[in-house]
Amino acid sequence: MLLKNKKVAIVGGGPGGLTLARLLQLQGADIKVYERDVNENARVQGATLDLHHGSGLKALEVAGLMDAFKATYRPGNEKGRVIDKHANIIYDEHNEVSNEDFNSASFRPEIDRGPLRDMLLNSLEAGTVVWNSQLLRIWQVGNTWKMEFKNGTTATADLIIGADGANSKVRLLVTPVKPFYSGVVIVQGNIENAEITAPNIHQLLKDGKIYGHGDQKYIHVSSKGDGSIDFYISCKKDENWMQTSGIDFSDRVQVCDWFKEEFPGWDEVWLELIENSSLPLLLRPQYCIPSDQTWDAQSNITLLGDAAHIMPPSGEGVNLAMLDALELCECLVNENFKDLQSAIAAYEERMRTRAAKEAEDSLEMVQWMHAEDALNKIVQMLNQ
Ligand SMILES: Cc1cc2nc3c(=O)[nH]c(=O)nc-3n(C[C@H](O)[C@H](O)[C@H](O)COP(=O)(O)OP(=O)(O)OC[C@H]3O[C@@H](n4cnc5c(N)ncnc54)[C@H](O)[C@@H]3O)c2cc1C
């Protein structure tokens, strides 16, 4: 096998990195995952997401984790409501019959990020993930990579896989191509114990999702299995709005004032999100890869997931990261490749082609979701 006697380091224990670790361990490879989080409970994992046939679910199937997934996913949680600024329900998926057929390609079961991560972590050999390992620097000594982490430790590897997300450090060793700003900032928040703390939004949410549109802005709300809700507010802003707005997003009064000014005429129910969210709210300017990005494959380093192809959320990001993991694993263990460089080149070619198409689609989505007729467009789409 191409990986025989090779030490493989995966930098980043997100869905992409952990899926790859599991798949490669099943093939007998020597794997370590270096993860920035101090431990597995270090931060609240984000909102719920849906996994798709042909990508996320396919990777779980090959990883032997479909039974674990079926025991963990959240039936019915995929149902959404399109709601206008006045809190009118314009379209309601709760009126439709659920599709819970894992054999149907249109079934997109939901799982919370936290349980997805736990499931992948539990599938790994003990000690695979090295927590509290934020990569600061990588350099080569002969044929070996040396890594330095923020906690002062170092480690070596023969092959490095950058699965370290949007602000990837590993990416800098693979390509100088930089993602560009998409024009949209997401303000993200989380509300604990929503039934009590935000009862009106909780009721509107009905344990599913809310797609709120109006005035060229978008509010996405989703329920989580632990009784909390996660939301993001998406609006068009300058790239450096975070620095120039002067708003302290850890100050309740300031964020409420910002919301009222940004969303004039919106129903009071929306304000409930801001009034009850844990603080600080997180600001996430959205970046996207150029669809023509390319680079020459190397023999001992590559990328997957957001590190390779960050783009505004379109419901595909986790699925793409998990499919990258599957295809990278298949290439790395394929004896028909004469060496690791050929295996990595074949993987990267497919990965970049797929990501380029999805990046274009996600930018198109950003445009229409922040256009005047976004509400009609989403209803049309759901009707189809
Ligand atoms: C608001 C929002 C909503 C989204 N909604 C969806 C959705 O509904 N469905 C969907 O499929 N996708 C969604 N996405 C996209 C999705 O979150 C990403 O595409 C996906 O998480 C990428 O997985 P990954 O494993 O490549 O990276 P990540 O999930 O970002 O994981 C990277 C990991 O690397 C670690 N790390 C980072 N830097 C370092 C370092 N220097 N050293 C060590 N470790 C490091 C991080 O702690 C993290 O654990 C959304 C994104 C956003 C911003």
Side-chain angles (χ1 to χ4, degrees), residues 43-196:
R43 85 196 137 106
V44 178
Q45 297 290 315
T48 173
L49 46 93
D50 51 342
L51 294 189
H52 305 171
H53 281 260
S55 51
L57 291 174
K58 185 176 170 190
L60 287 184
E61 185 81 58
V62 179
L65 294 173
M66 273 314 279
D67 286 345
F69 178 79
K70 285 177 182 170
T72 316
Y73 87 106
R74 299 184 55 215
N77 184 238
E78 71 283 359
K79 290 189 173 180
R81 286 174 154 174
V82 180
I83 297 190
D84 70 9
K85 64 190 265 190
H86 305 295
N88 298 311
I89 300 171
I90 307 297
Y91 186 93
D92 193 350
E93 288 183 313
H94 293 277
N95 296 331
E96 295 166 9
V97 179
S98 286
N99 171 8
E100 301 288 336
D101 179 4
F102 274 88
N103 295 317
S104 152
S106 61
F107 179 40
R108 295 182 158 191
E110 294 273 337
I111 186 165
D112 289 352
R113 276 170 201 261
L116 176 64
R117 192 188 215 191
D118 290 346
M119 189 179 86
L120 291 166
L121 284 172
N122 292 339
S123 74
L124 299 176
E125 291 164 17
T128 303
V129 179
V130 188
W131 297 99
N132 190 21
S133 301
Q134 178 174 349
L135 181 74
L136 291 184
R137 209 159 65 90
I138 322 176
W139 67 101
Q140 265 186 295
V141 182
N143 290 329
T144 306
W145 290 105
K146 199 145 188 202
M147 293 168 283
E148 184 191 1
F149 302 100
K150 197 176 174 190
N151 63 7
T153 61
T154 58
T156 59
D158 303 300
L159 170 63
I160 298 223
I161 290 135
D164 48 343
N167 301 309
S168 171
K169 278 264 182 300
V170 180
R171 183 178 167 96
L172 305 172
L173 284 111
V174 174
T175 173
V177 178
K178 286 196 168 58
F180 62 90
Y181 180 56
S182 71
V184 163
V185 172
I186 287 177
V187 180
Q188 187 177 354
N190 184 267
I191 301 177
E192 299 289 333
N193 195 10
E195 187 171 4
I196 306 295

Side-chain angles (χ1 to χ4, degrees), residues 11-18 34-37 43 45 47-52 113 117 133-136 149 163-169 186 188 209 220 230 232 284 286 304-307 310-321:
V11 181
L18 294 178
Y34 295 95
E35 167 54 44
R36 174 178 62 187
D37 285 351
R43 85 196 137 106
Q45 297 290 315
T48 173
L49 46 93
D50 51 342
L51 294 189
H52 305 171
R113 276 170 201 261
R117 192 188 215 191
S133 301
Q134 178 174 349
L135 181 74
L136 291 184
F149 302 100
D164 48 343
N167 301 309
S168 171
K169 278 264 182 300
I186 287 177
Q188 187 177 354
K209 294 174 187 300
H220 180 103
D230 203 87
Y232 58 83
R284 298 183 185 277
Q286 295 301 298
L304 63 73
D306 279 7
I310 184 68
M311 62 188 78
S314 61
E316 293 289 344
V318 167
N319 289 283
L320 290 179

